[in-house]
Amino acid sequence: MMMSTQAPPADALEESAERAFRIRWPAVVGAVTLVVLVVLLSVMQGAGGLPLSGVARSLAGALPGVDVAQTLTPQQQGVLWQIRLPRTALAALVGASLAMAGAGYQGVFRNPLADPYLLGVSAGAGLGAVLALGFGLDLAWGPVGALPAAAFIGALVAVTGSVLVARGSFRDPATLLLAGVAMAALFAALQTFALQQLDQSRTREVLSWLFGRLATQGWQPVSLLLPYAVLAGAVLLVHARHLDVLRLGDDEARALGLRPARSRLVVVAAATLITAAAVSVSGLIGFVGLVTPHVVRLLVGHSYRLLIPLSALVGGAFLALADVGARTLVAPAELPVGVITALVGAPFFCFVLWHGRRDR
Amino acid sequence: MTPPRPTFRIVTALAAAVLLASCGADEAPVDETPEQAAPDAATTPPADESSASADAQPALDAFPVTIDTPTGEVVIEERPERIISLSPSATEILFAIGAGDQVIAADEFSNYPPNAPTTELSGYEPNVEAIVGYEPDLVVLANDINEIEASLTALDIPVIINTAPLDVDSGYDGMAALGLATGHADEAAAAVSGMRAAMEDALSAAPQDAQIRVYHELDETFFSASSHSYIGSVYAAMGVVNIADEADTDQTGYPQLTEEAIVTADPQLILIQSQAAYTAEDVAARPGWSQVSAVKNGNIIVVDSDISSRWGPRLPQLVDLVVGALSDIAVPAGR
């Protein structure tokens, strides 16, 4: 029997990889069902207090070829179609984006603590937002407001800075991670300094954005985020196998014909882009990107081919559900959605961790 | 109650041709126009004119005086000549009661009156060294931040904390206290009675029974002012229904509303801030808002952010503006 230097380990690897990558259909079906249920709940529940039958008629009436008598007042129609539905869609989309990006970062850094804000996205976006809101810095072009544009650019600048400090090397994730920490600290300091210079009336608006809020300008933020989410999501999905192989170690990955540094670069770029886009329309919503991948992992194991799409579904459902809480718990007042994600998410995550560790 | 002084002086201020009649009388000024910057009772000498030092001091202005402040009693030994005001509200009051020429420095946001000595000093992050550098003999603050009061008192600089009042009436006491502290007790008393009269005059025109639904928007994140806030108490005096009240269960005064709740509450009058980066047109164009009464009937008005957020002598102007808008809504017998 011929012994090549590569084939047996490769075979063994592929085999063990395949074993780990069985699609768990129940989990997939469950996640999709969860999203559908949460979206329905979100449409039904809100501060506006719309009659359910009216909502059902209005939704059914929107389907092609269906003709039912509408019972909602024009005002209620406006609330449903221009405020509640777009906000539900935005919450699901932002949650999906952050969770996917979080999974991507965790794969690249092989670090369970990695989250989408690791490389300074949050601090960079925050600085951009403070500058745009507070100093009328106008980066607006076309339909995009100054705030999302500035936050988006700030986020990309901060991450690019981190990558440059790490000399563009994706060979050693630890260096990049440290560069990210330093860059985040720098931008956070600049952001604090800028906040200090602000007029008081503007400060509240900035803080509100920093706490994370789902922008409500009809469908516009949704259409802003959707292309990024689809594009970057596709890139992440295509590279999920790379992340799976990277888990085995760089040498093994090279043995399988992968270029680890390049894979990391692509994943970090996609995850950063999607995070920056999400942050630009919703501010800094914590916890979703960090925790969702772990919850999904405990449910379906470690394969990124399953982890990324399921994280998107579960993250979307999680944030949409948190937003239902933000809109209804103290209605007609509003809670910052970031508060809910942590308040509800942290205990739930603790339970999942405790439960998950039991059978390991 | 001071005797009328029938002297009229016209002061031309910087941009707006501001008419300031100093009459010190109790009678209600008539025909307050929105351009008028201060109640008629107030005297605002121009910055280059020092009149106060030449005046004979009435008995009320005898020093030392003891001032009751929220943080305790403050003794001021002699008439302060180098006042620092780190509160935009206090700056307006000081100028309105004739103490303007004793103010040597005001904080960065003291933008009114136009001749106020605005500096880089901050009222939010007060810097003791920067303040002491001006060698003040009285410092007026809105809040005691970072133990600033103790620091200054340790240096024998008297400090008056002029907290933001929660309603219009409690603001008059602060005005009187500043009058006593600066040696302008009689002018402060006149300013108070003049402003009271102006407020009564403005409020008398309010359509008290119309129950008009009002939404005062602070920013694009739908923070609002309920009746528990200072400006909200002013609206409450006009007999409106404030749509933010329902959301303000813990009575903070400034709840954040959900957009759905605002649209469903269907406000008939929407008030937005002059400092906001958006306009009434932007509000009208918000998705889902087209069926709101205030939007349909074009009743979105801009209120001066400074006047609506600080207690001060210009308040009657804002009341006039809002009462005017309310009257326009109430007159067409719709509801």
Side-chain angles (χ1 to χ4, degrees):
Chain A
M1 199 147 192
M2 274 281 292
M3 278 286 284
S4 93
T5 48
Q6 281 190 9
D11 275 349
L13 278 173
E14 284 286 18
E15 205 172 299
S16 72
E18 282 307 326
R19 243 201 332 275
F21 301 159
R22 279 197 309 274
I23 301 275
R24 289 177 172 77
W25 287 110
V28 179
V29 173
V32 175
T33 314
L34 178 72
V35 172
V36 172
L37 286 178
V38 168
V39 165
L40 280 177
L41 176 78
S42 172
V43 171
M44 290 185 319
Q45 293 295 322
L50 309 184
L52 279 189
S53 65
V55 171
R57 283 168 181 273
S58 184
L59 291 175
L63 296 170
V66 181
D67 193 22
V68 285
Q70 296 298 323
T71 54
L72 290 183
T73 65
Q75 229 172 50
Q76 291 172 323
Q77 292 277 22
V79 167
L80 178 65
W81 287 98
Q82 293 299 327
I83 297 173
R84 195 175 293 179
L85 279 172
R87 188 157 163 168
T88 300
L90 186 68
L93 205 53
V94 167
S97 301
L98 291 175
M100 271 195 288
Y105 271 120
Q106 285 172 11
V108 165
F109 292 101
R110 281 183 290 207
N111 182 332
L113 288 177
D115 82 345
Y117 303 144
L118 188 72
L119 295 183
V121 166
S122 52
L127 179 64
V130 173
L131 292 176
L133 273 177
F135 301 97
L137 185 75
D138 203 357
L139 295 162
W141 63 84
V144 186
L147 173 66
F152 187 72
I153 290 169
L156 294 186
V157 165
V159 176
T160 308
S162 304
V163 172
L164 287 177
V165 170
R167 300 189 170 223
S169 163
F170 282 85
R171 241 177 246 114
D172 175 20
T175 309
L176 186 60
L177 201 150
L178 286 172
V181 169
M183 202 53 66
L186 175 67
F187 274 81
L190 288 171
Q191 179 191 309
T192 308
F193 175 74
L195 265 175
Q196 284 261 295
Q197 313 302 314
L198 279 192
D199 198 315
Q200 190 194 13
S201 60
R202 300 253 156 188
T203 313
R204 188 183 33 232
E205 210 171 330
V206 176
L207 286 177
S208 170
W209 185 89
L210 290 176
F211 288 145
R213 69 182 162 96
L214 291 157
T216 42
Q217 293 132 33
W219 291 99
Q220 194 232 0
V222 180
S223 56
L224 270 181
L225 178 54
L226 192 63
Y228 289 103
V230 170
L231 184 77
V235 172
L236 287 174
L237 271 179
V238 167
H239 285 75
R241 202 182 66 84
H242 295 213
L243 291 175
D244 282 329
V245 176
L246 282 176
R247 277 182 43 230
L248 307 168
D250 281 17
D251 293 343
E252 289 81 353
R254 274 190 213 93
L256 288 170
L258 212 66
R259 289 155 68 185
R262 196 168 144 220
S263 299
R264 285 199 194 97
L265 170 64
V266 173
V267 171
V268 164
T272 299
L273 199 64
I274 198 173
T275 306
V279 164
S280 70
V281 293
S282 65
L284 305 178
I285 297 172
F287 213 76
V288 181
L290 170 68
V291 166
T292 310
H294 288 294
V295 173
V296 175
R297 241 183 234 110
L298 289 167
L299 293 172
V300 302
H302 290 260
S303 162
Y304 278 92
R305 275 182 259 183
L306 203 49
L307 196 56
I308 286 175
L310 280 190
S311 290
L313 290 172
V314 173
F318 176 33
L319 194 58
L321 191 62
D323 189 50
V324 173
R327 282 182 292 131
T328 56
L329 284 179
V330 292
E334 169 135 15
L335 281 170
V337 74
V339 171
I340 310 253
T341 52
L343 268 184
V344 178
F348 174 72
F349 184 50
C350 290
F351 168 76
V352 170
L353 273 181
W354 174 82
H355 195 78
R357 284 279 160 253
R358 207 180 43 183
D359 48 25
R360 249 145 235 258
Chain B
M1 300 298 126
T2 50
R5 273 186 300 157
T7 52
F8 283 91
R9 200 168 47 198
I10 292 174
V11 176
T12 314
L14 295 176
V18 178
L19 180 70
L20 293 165
S22 87
C23 57
D26 293 345
E27 72 258 10
V30 282
D31 292 332
E32 280 264 323
T33 54
E35 286 79 41
Q36 263 183 298
D40 284 17
T43 309
T44 310
D48 56 349
E49 182 185 320
S50 173
S51 59
S53 51
D55 289 346
Q57 297 293 319
L60 259 179
D61 299 346
F63 282 85
V65 292
T66 305
I67 314 291
D68 269 335
T69 73
T71 50
E73 288 190 343
V74 177
V75 177
I76 299 173
E77 297 295 341
E78 48 196 39
R79 186 176 185 272
E81 299 296 341
R82 300 181 60 79
I83 302 172
I84 292 185
S85 168
L86 297 183
S87 144
S89 166
T91 307
E92 290 199 33
I93 294 169
L94 288 167
F95 275 81
I97 62 176
D101 52 353
Q102 290 153 264
V103 179
I104 52 162
D107 71 292
E108 56 188 331
F109 298 126
S110 284
N111 53 4
Y112 192 90
N115 57 353
T118 312
T119 64
E120 293 287 290
L121 288 173
S122 166
Y124 296 112
E125 290 286 336
N127 180 319
V128 177
E129 289 188 24
I131 293 168
V132 172
Y134 283 91
E135 297 178 359
D137 49 16
L138 174 65
V139 176
V140 185
L141 292 161
N143 299 294
D144 186 15
I145 296 164
N146 302 344
E147 314 264 300
I148 180 89
E149 189 185 13
S151 313
L152 290 169
T153 310
L155 298 167
D156 287 333
I157 299 170
V159 175
I160 293 181
I161 308 284
N162 182 58
T163 44
L166 291 176
D167 54 51
V168 175
D169 274 17
S170 47
Y172 295 126
D173 300 340
M175 202 167 186
L178 283 177
L180 191 61
T182 56
H184 295 272
D186 54 345
E187 283 152 294
V192 167
S193 54
M195 188 170 154
R196 277 187 193 275
M199 284 293 288
E200 269 172 43
D201 193 44
L203 284 172
S204 64
Q208 290 283 350
D209 305 325
Q211 296 284 298
I212 290 165
R213 297 182 301 279
V214 168
Y215 166 52
H216 177 94
E217 179 169 286
L218 291 169
D219 60 30
E220 274 183 298
T221 64
F222 312 118
F223 270 97
S224 183
S226 77
S227 297
H228 299 289
S229 68
Y230 158 67
I231 187 65
S233 74
V234 177
Y235 295 153
M238 303 174 195
V240 303
V241 174
N242 190 324
I243 69 159
D245 284 359
E246 205 189 330
D248 195 16
T249 43
D250 43 6
Q251 309 194 353
T252 56
Y254 301 99
Q256 185 178 22
L257 307 185
T258 64
E259 197 175 15
E260 290 187 10
I262 297 165
V263 173
T264 314
D266 191 29
Q268 293 156 284
L269 176 65
I270 297 175
L271 304 124
I272 61 172
Q273 304 296 307
S274 59
Q275 275 172 6
Y278 53 93
T279 62
E281 288 75 34
D282 295 333
V283 174
R286 285 177 186 166
W289 287 53
S290 59
Q291 295 300 313
V292 173
S293 298
V295 174
K296 273 195 299 205
N297 306 321
N299 291 316
I300 304 174
I301 59 173
V302 180
V303 294
D304 186 308
S305 311
D306 291 338
I307 303 180
S308 70
S309 62
R310 49 175 101 145
W311 193 96
R314 292 185 290 165
L315 183 63
Q317 295 172 43
L318 183 136
V319 176
D320 271 336
L321 173 76
V322 177
V323 165
L326 290 173
S327 307
D328 290 347
I329 296 170
V331 169
R335 39 213 303 188

